[in-house]
């Protein structure tokens, strides 16, 4: 047979099956054969998997690159200063851009990211935003990539005229909206405007569900009591703050008969609302992230200010019971996907200050001023594999389902997310378990552009030995060997998971 690449002797895992002693034949970047003892292909590259697991390349559906996290602390920001990848003011932008973010992705077994084209200024056209992000990404990506659009001002012009263009001209079939962060959040009225148009166009709406007013009120009153240490970021928004907004937006989605995905769910109470909605057969989907599975709020207690490294929203939770509920939700299918929510920002800034620590602050700084978000695009897949599969908390198939197959299906990435003929040859070949020496993670091992990882010191029982994208090895034995312009932009189709049901709560019809 005519192959360009044959991977031999792997334990091949899909979301449904495991095949031992299995080979994979690749031609023109596509998987063309999967099975034992594929014939020799003279001239083809051969890789011996040494019996190790081979899993589909990770699909990370929640990654922020070239985005200003200052918006999360109420600062109005001007995205135009990073247009064309130029960052004139490093003090104002110290996160990952497309080059460093995607380098980090492939070094951790992720072969496709869906990142955000983000409407920041209230008057900007989302078409202009999409064009700008295309410029930022062009020839600057080691892995394949697609976009969601973050919508912060759904004017009639945008939802009626620009949403259809976003789908038809750019192949973007999902939007994210915020119920929190002052410069970004939508009112319920505006959420209905987005859902109304999204339903007509087959768009999946992603929602960051937290109650903004409760967070503001709590933050004010904590500051009056001088409770401003990074740890109190969590105090200001206990799980019920996420649960209330989750329930509210599920109600809006039911009213509008439209599918939504609740992003980065952190607590047990919100998980229960999603589970209950699913039991009622509503098209409600859930996402969680490794930080809620592997960390607890103690990580925000460290030092005077070091805990700021672990400030994200929703916060990492205090109670083990929340973490247990998140794991249960991954196992029982409440969470359709596990994404990283990679939103990194350096802790030590070039100007000598630390993340959000401003002159004249109280000794512990103010959690209110710390940009929200953590790095995690490189650690997501290895954490779930080592701390999930190899720690016998989830099956290999469940790992593949939540890290690759489901994100591809949910967001209409037709050729991604499985190992079968016709799919892109995006593969992770792990180390043979007998040959792997477990190690404790340090930030120096990672390939992002930030100076810390919240997962420092966690033990890993395996790591991707090879990452392969469309038949090409891009990461091998700890080294990035791919090229910066190899990643393709992927136009997406409508999501493949169930959508509207045409069941209504009143006589009103769209
Ligand atoms: O804290 C977070 N999650 N920062 C990134 C922006 C968002 O909310 O997704
Ligand atoms: Zn969010
Ligand atoms: Zn996010
Ligand atoms: Zn390296």
């Amino acid at each position: 047979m005519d192959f360009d690449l044959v991977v031999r002797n792997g334990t091949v895992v899909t979301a449904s099956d495991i095949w031992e002693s299995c080979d994979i034949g690749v031609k023109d970047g596509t998987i063309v054969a999967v099975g034992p003892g594929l014939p020799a292909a003279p001239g083809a590259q051969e890789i011996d998997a040494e019996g190790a697991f081979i899993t589909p390349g990770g699909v990370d559906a929640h990654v922020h690159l070239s985005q200003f996290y200052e918006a999360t602390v109420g600062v109005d920001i001007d995205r135009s200063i990073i247009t064309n990848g130029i960052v004139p003011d490093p003090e104002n932008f110290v996160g990952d851009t497309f080059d460093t973010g995607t380098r980090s992705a492939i070094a951790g077994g992720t072969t496709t990211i869906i990142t955000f084209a983000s409407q920041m200024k209230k008057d900007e056209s989302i078409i202009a935003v999409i064009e700008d992000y295309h410029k930022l990404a062009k020839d600057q990506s080691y892995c394949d990539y697609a976009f969601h659009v973050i919508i912060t001002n759904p004017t009639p012009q945008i939802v009626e005229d620009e949403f259809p263009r976003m789908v038809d001209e750019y192949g973007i079939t999902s939007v994210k909206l915020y119920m929190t962060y002052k410069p970004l959040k939508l009112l319920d009225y505006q959420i209905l405007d987005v859902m109304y148009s999204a339903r007509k166009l087959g768009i999946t709406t992603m929602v960051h569900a937290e109650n903004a007013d409760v967070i503001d009120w709590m933050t004010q009153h904590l500051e009056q009591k001088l409770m401003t240490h990074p740890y109190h970021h969590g105090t200001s928004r206990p799980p019920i703050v996420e649960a209330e907004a989750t329930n509210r937006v599920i109600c809006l989605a039911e009213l509008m008969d439209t599918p939504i995905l609740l992003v980065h769910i952190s607590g047990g109470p919100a998980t229960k609302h999603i589970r209950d909605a699913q039991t009622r057969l509503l098209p409600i989907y859930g996402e969680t992230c490794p930080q809620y599975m592997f960390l607890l709020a103690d990580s925000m207690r460290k030092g005077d200010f070091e805990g700021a490294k672990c400030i994200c929203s929703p916060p990492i939770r205090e109670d083990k019971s929340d973490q247990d509920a998140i794991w249960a939700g991954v196992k029982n299918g409440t969470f359709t996907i596990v994404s990283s929510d990679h939103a990194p920002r350096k802790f030590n800034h070039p100007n000598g200050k630390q993340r959000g620590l401003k002159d004249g602050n109280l000794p512990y700084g103010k959690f209110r001023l710390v940009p929200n978000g953590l790095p995690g695009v490189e650690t997501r897949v290895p954490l779930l594999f080592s701390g999930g599969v190899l720690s016998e908390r989830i099956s290999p198939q469940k790992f593949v389902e939540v890290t690759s197959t489901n994100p591809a299906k949910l967001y209409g990435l037709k050729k991604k997310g499985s190992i079968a003929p016709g799919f892109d040859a995006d593969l992770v070949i792990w180390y043979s378990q007998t040959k792997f020496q477990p190690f404790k993670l340090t930030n120096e091992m990672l390939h992002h552009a930030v100076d810390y990882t919240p997962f420092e010191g966690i033990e890993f029982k395996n790591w991707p030995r090879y990452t392969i994208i469309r038949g090409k090895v891009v990461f091998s034995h700890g080294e990035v060997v791919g090229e910066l312009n190899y990643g393709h932009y992927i136009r997406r189709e409508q999501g493949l998971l169930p959508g509207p049901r045409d069941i209504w709560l009143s006589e009103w019809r769209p």
Side-chain angles (χ1 to χ4, degrees):
M1 265 204 239
D2 187 18
F3 301 126
D4 303 325
L5 166 70
V6 186
V7 182
R8 296 207 182 272
N9 186 27
T11 301
V12 172
V13 187
T14 67
S16 56
D17 300 293
I18 302 181
W19 297 282
E20 286 173 14
S21 309
C22 187
D23 302 345
I24 300 168
V26 176
K27 178 74 189 162
D28 296 330
T30 300
I31 297 169
V32 291
V34 181
L38 293 187
Q45 182 187 1
E46 296 245 349
I47 294 176
D48 180 4
E50 300 176 348
F53 281 113
I54 304 178
T55 54
V59 177
D60 193 340
H62 191 148
V63 177
H64 301 266
L65 298 178
S66 295
Q67 227 184 290
F68 280 86
Y69 315 109
E70 275 66 13
T72 63
V73 289
V75 179
D76 267 318
I77 26 63
D78 180 359
R79 184 182 39 79
S80 62
I81 77 158
I82 49 164
T83 297
N84 297 322
I86 298 160
V87 186
D89 179 3
E91 187 179 337
N92 279 321
F93 185 78
V94 281
D96 273 318
T97 44
F98 279 83
D99 51 349
T100 60
T102 59
R103 178 180 74 194
S104 191
I106 62 174
T110 285
T111 51
T112 304
I113 58 166
I114 314 180
T115 181
F116 296 96
S118 190
Q119 184 195 32
M120 289 299 197
K121 285 190 290 185
K122 291 281 179 192
D123 58 351
E124 64 190 345
S125 135
I126 61 166
I127 300 301
V129 169
I130 295 166
E131 284 292 338
D132 276 356
Y133 271 88
H134 268 297
K135 284 184 204 142
L136 288 171
K138 190 169 164 30
D139 295 335
Q140 293 293 311
S141 187
Y142 287 94
C143 67
D144 287 348
Y145 62 97
F147 291 129
H148 310 288
V149 164
I150 289 177
I151 184 89
T152 61
N153 187 21
T155 60
Q157 155 79 11
I158 286 179
V159 297
E160 287 161 25
D161 301 339
E162 296 193 356
F163 271 19
R165 290 184 59 195
M166 173 182 86
V167 175
D168 295 342
E169 293 172 28
Y170 296 93
I172 297 176
T173 54
S174 49
V175 293
K176 179 181 178 186
L177 60 85
Y178 290 98
M179 299 171 82
T180 187
Y181 304 138
K182 249 184 200 150
L184 308 177
K185 72 168 189 188
L186 302 193
L187 304 171
D188 292 354
Y189 192 102
Q190 295 173 302
I191 294 175
L192 292 175
D193 279 342
V194 171
M195 288 178 170
Y196 179 72
S197 177
R199 181 182 192 277
K200 276 194 287 199
L201 296 164
I203 290 171
T204 303
T205 304
M206 309 158 75
V207 183
H208 178 145
E210 287 186 292
N211 183 313
D213 282 339
V214 174
I215 292 170
D216 277 355
W217 196 95
M218 292 287 284
T219 301
Q220 283 296 331
H221 286 75
L222 285 166
E223 287 194 354
Q224 284 168 15
K225 294 180 194 300
L226 304 184
M227 294 166 78
T228 64
H229 185 280
Y231 175 75
H232 292 303
H233 173 73
T235 316
S236 70
R237 56 206 88 194
I240 199 167
V241 174
E242 174 187 61
E244 183 278 329
T246 298
N247 183 51
R248 180 160 32 109
V249 78
I250 289 171
C251 294
L252 301 183
E254 181 171 6
L255 184 82
M256 207 45 80
D257 184 42
T258 191
I260 58 170
L261 173 104
L262 279 303
V263 293
H264 49 47
I265 291 296
S266 64
T271 305
K272 184 169 185 321
H273 283 303
I274 297 170
R275 183 78 176 159
D276 289 349
Q278 291 167 344
T279 302
R280 294 174 49 230
L281 303 179
L282 299 176
I284 304 294
Y285 301 99
E287 171 196 79
T288 191
C289 313
Q291 47 272 36
Y292 307 121
M293 304 169 75
F294 293 98
L295 300 177
L296 287 170
D298 264 352
S299 55
M300 284 185 286
R301 275 198 203 272
K302 276 182 210 145
D304 280 352
F305 194 63
E306 213 187 314
K309 287 179 177 176
C310 288
I311 286 186
C312 60
S313 281
I316 295 164
R317 296 299 176 189
E318 198 169 327
D319 281 357
K320 182 79 168 51
S321 63
D322 283 302
Q323 201 181 61
D324 291 345
I326 296 296
W327 275 99
V330 170
K331 291 185 205 185
N332 70 21
T334 306
F335 296 113
T336 311
I337 63 176
V338 177
S339 311
S340 68
D341 191 11
H342 182 77
R345 204 174 191 291
K346 270 189 185 149
F347 183 65
N348 286 302
H349 287 194
N351 63 9
K353 291 180 201 145
Q354 289 176 326
R355 172 182 166 121
L357 190 64
K358 298 268 161 57
D359 294 331
N361 274 184
L362 300 160
Y364 292 148
K366 286 185 178 172
F367 69 79
R368 180 169 60 80
L369 300 175
V370 180
N372 293 190
L374 309 175
V377 73
E378 188 166 346
T379 40
R380 178 189 70 120
V381 163
L383 271 170
L384 269 278
F385 192 74
S386 171
V389 176
L390 299 178
S391 304
E392 295 181 1
R393 293 164 103 168
I394 54 174
S395 67
Q397 295 97 320
K398 174 56 84 174
F399 160 83
V400 168
E401 181 187 318
V402 296
T403 59
S404 180
T405 310
N406 276 356
K409 279 196 201 312
L410 177 67
Y411 292 121
L413 292 162
K414 261 175 67 181
K415 295 191 72 186
K416 304 294 187 188
S418 193
I419 299 178
F423 281 82
D424 282 351
D426 296 353
L427 307 169
V428 174
I429 305 176
W430 299 84
Y431 285 92
S432 151
Q433 212 49 51
T434 52
K435 292 190 180 168
F436 194 81
Q437 199 59 38
F439 69 93
K440 286 199 163 71
L441 185 74
T442 64
N443 190 56
E444 291 69 51
M445 297 170 180
L446 299 176
H447 297 78
H448 55 205
V450 288
D451 54 355
Y452 77 96
T453 166
F455 305 107
E456 182 89 20
I458 289 187
E459 187 184 81
F460 285 78
K461 300 187 182 98
N462 209 321
W463 195 272
R465 180 171 160 234
Y466 294 101
T467 304
I468 296 174
I469 301 180
R470 288 177 277 106
K472 187 174 184 304
V473 174
V474 294
F475 178 76
S476 166
H477 301 89
E479 286 310 317
V480 169
V481 296
E483 279 151 27
L484 184 53
N485 61 2
Y486 184 67
H488 283 174
Y489 175 68
I490 305 176
R491 289 176 57 93
R492 293 184 288 122
E493 323 250 321
Q494 277 187 15
L496 299 174
L497 300 182
R501 303 181 305 158
D502 209 17
I503 295 177
W504 300 95
L505 302 184
S506 74
E507 277 175 41
W508 180 81
R509 297 289 180 277

